[in-house]
Amino acid sequence: MPVPAPNLYPDFNTVRLSHVAYRVTDLARSRAFYVDTLGLQVTGETADTLYLRAMEERGHHCVALHQAPEAGVEALGFKVWHEDDLDRAHGWFSARGRPVDWVDRPHQGRTLRTSDLFGVPLEFYARMDRLPPIHQQYKLYHGVKPLRIDHFNTFSPDVDASVAFWTDMGFRTTEYTEDEDTGQLWAAWMHRKGGVHDMAFTNGLGPRLHHTAFWVPTPLNIIDLLDLMATTGWVANIERGPGRHGISNAFFLYIRDPDGHRIEIYCSDYQTCDPDLEPIKWDLKDPQRQTLWGAPAPRSWFEEGSHFIGLTPAESRLKASPIIAP
Ligand SMILES: [Fe+2]
């Protein structure tokens, strides 16, 4: 199935992805990972929640960690342009039969909680508490020197259907992987903010969250993080990479947090804001698709992901297999 034409004038204007709300089972251990090792900054703390931001971010948080008996994902957060866009989004999701609720979230204005066609929990807001800039407070930089949240990647049971729904929302496809045998989409990368993606879909048992990615200044920051993790008790949390993606051309590393939530460290993809940007097509069997240098990803990368709270994932419609490391 071909990638649908972009919807350049969607019913509501999403600016970008904003934040992820994770449930974690040991907040102190998660703090050691996200703050002491990755270098995210603590912006708020309660008895059971930790709020974090990266160095370039002015909004209050890009990660909320909630202490809970079981790990999972509560919501993927997105910022819209204006309060009016929230009302238009409410109408858009309602018209498609999706649940819609206005919810209270600390440090945010009016927040719309809804979900996509397969139930991925989404929260939209227009205003979040603003904090003073710290991007030139170089004494604060440590770990991998994370600059900003970059994207989500989710497992979808039907990537064609996910792409159609998110295209209607105004997300534009930059790259995609097609299964040559069936002509169906195996994966797709879609953006609002002008990079390769805010949101991606990968064929698999879903929906589940595959990973959340953070942008860092240079590939050397990734090498430094590997040296740090390898000598501070985190070596088992290194999953895949470092390497250069074929798709997105970004330099990458995949690591796992103490509950198994997958985090990508990511830098140097490319600008995509032209409205007539042509999506790049990849064949599922192209060995340079995952990693430009040819190394395939491990099985865990294709099979393991974080569960959305209250959602039972379904088997994927497409059974085609990618290249998996032996
Ligand atoms: Fe990614």
Side-chain angles (χ1 to χ4, degrees), residues 150-153 189 197 200 210-213 245 248 252 254 264-266 301:
D150 188 80
H151 62 263
F152 301 123
N153 192 321
W189 288 258
H197 52 325
H210 189 278
H211 64 264
T212 301
H245 280 309
S248 81
F252 71 87
Y254 293 95
E264 180 180 15
I265 311 299
Y266 180 93
W301 199 89

Side-chain angles (χ1 to χ4, degrees), residues 69-141:
E70 289 186 19
V73 182
E74 293 189 352
L76 306 183
F78 291 83
K79 186 180 184 72
V80 298
W81 189 259
H82 189 272
E83 290 290 326
D84 293 347
D85 290 297
L86 292 176
D87 298 309
R88 286 193 284 267
H90 186 283
W92 191 90
F93 284 98
S94 297
R96 283 155 183 79
R98 304 313 304 163
V100 283
D101 282 304
W102 297 108
V103 295
D104 291 322
R105 294 287 179 258
H107 309 290
Q108 289 172 213
R110 211 159 52 112
T111 300
L112 173 68
R113 183 175 173 90
T114 183
S115 61
D116 85 346
L117 76 167
F118 291 122
V120 173
L122 307 174
E123 294 188 1
F124 294 89
Y125 72 90
R127 287 177 294 110
M128 179 183 274
D129 290 350
R130 305 294 286 177
L131 299 177
I134 53 170
H135 63 281
Q136 290 178 324
Q137 301 282 325
Y138 283 105
K139 63 182 180 293
L140 298 178
Y141 281 74

Side-chain angles (χ1 to χ4, degrees), residues 18-308:
S18 163
H19 60 281
V20 58
Y22 281 125
R23 286 188 184 178
V24 300
T25 57
D26 183 342
L27 201 52
R29 185 74 176 144
S30 295
R31 184 185 183 115
F33 179 84
Y34 287 97
V35 179
D36 301 338
T37 306
L38 293 193
L40 290 166
Q41 302 288 306
V42 177
T43 59
E45 197 167 0
T46 68
D48 60 1
T49 299
L50 203 54
Y51 293 100
L52 310 172
R53 72 161 157 164
M55 305 309 295
E56 281 185 358
E57 292 173 329
R58 310 282 184 88
H60 183 269
H61 55 273
C62 64
V63 179
L65 301 174
H66 301 292
Q67 175 79 46
E70 289 186 19
V73 182
E74 293 189 352
L76 306 183
F78 291 83
K79 186 180 184 72
V80 298
W81 189 259
H82 189 272
E83 290 290 326
D84 293 347
D85 290 297
L86 292 176
D87 298 309
R88 286 193 284 267
H90 186 283
W92 191 90
F93 284 98
S94 297
R96 283 155 183 79
R98 304 313 304 163
V100 283
D101 282 304
W102 297 108
V103 295
D104 291 322
R105 294 287 179 258
H107 309 290
Q108 289 172 213
R110 211 159 52 112
T111 300
L112 173 68
R113 183 175 173 90
T114 183
S115 61
D116 85 346
L117 76 167
F118 291 122
V120 173
L122 307 174
E123 294 188 1
F124 294 89
Y125 72 90
R127 287 177 294 110
M128 179 183 274
D129 290 350
R130 305 294 286 177
L131 299 177
I134 53 170
H135 63 281
Q136 290 178 324
Q137 301 282 325
Y138 283 105
K139 63 182 180 293
L140 298 178
Y141 281 74
H142 66 283
V144 76
K145 301 184 177 178
L147 296 183
R148 56 187 180 271
I149 192 169
D150 188 80
H151 62 263
F152 301 123
N153 192 321
T154 58
F155 283 115
S156 169
D158 183 338
V159 175
D160 283 295
S162 291
V163 167
F165 187 91
W166 286 71
T167 297
D168 281 349
M169 282 169 60
F171 284 67
R172 311 204 291 274
T173 302
T174 55
E175 305 204 25
Y176 63 99
T177 300
E178 192 173 281
D179 172 43
E180 293 290 331
D181 295 336
T182 62
Q184 293 177 19
L185 291 177
W186 194 88
W189 288 258
M190 306 182 79
H191 83 97
R192 285 296 300 169
K193 66 181 181 302
V196 169
H197 52 325
D198 292 80
M199 185 71 168
F201 301 97
T202 297
N203 183 69
L205 180 75
R208 292 176 297 157
L209 180 59
H210 189 278
H211 64 264
T212 301
F214 296 92
W215 179 283
V216 297
T218 73
L220 193 55
N221 302 112
I222 292 177
I223 306 299
D224 288 342
L225 178 67
L226 284 159
D227 284 338
L228 180 65
M229 291 182 69
T231 54
T232 54
W234 296 103
V235 71
N237 297 67
I238 300 168
E239 184 184 31
R240 177 188 168 198
R244 169 85 60 193
H245 280 309
I247 292 161
S248 81
N249 197 40
F251 202 87
F252 71 87
L253 171 70
Y254 293 95
I255 54 180
R256 308 293 287 269
D257 88 351
D259 289 289
H261 299 310
R262 183 180 291 105
I263 299 297
E264 180 180 15
I265 311 299
Y266 180 93
C267 77
S268 65
D269 66 355
Y270 58 90
Q271 180 173 289
T272 63
C273 53
D274 281 7
D276 55 351
L277 186 92
E278 302 85 355
I280 296 172
K281 175 183 169 181
W282 293 82
D283 180 353
L284 184 58
K285 298 300 184 189
D286 185 338
Q288 292 189 288
R289 185 189 77 91
Q290 305 171 15
T291 310
L292 192 66
W293 308 335
R299 184 166 296 279
S300 63
W301 199 89
F302 295 105
E303 296 184 350
E304 297 175 9
S306 299
H307 284 259
F308 292 112

Side-chain angles (χ1 to χ4, degrees), residues 304-326:
E304 297 175 9
S306 299
H307 284 259
F308 292 112
I309 303 300
L311 196 57
T312 303
E315 291 289 339
S316 61
R317 185 172 66 112
L318 177 60
K319 300 303 178 192
S321 178
I323 301 170
I324 301 173

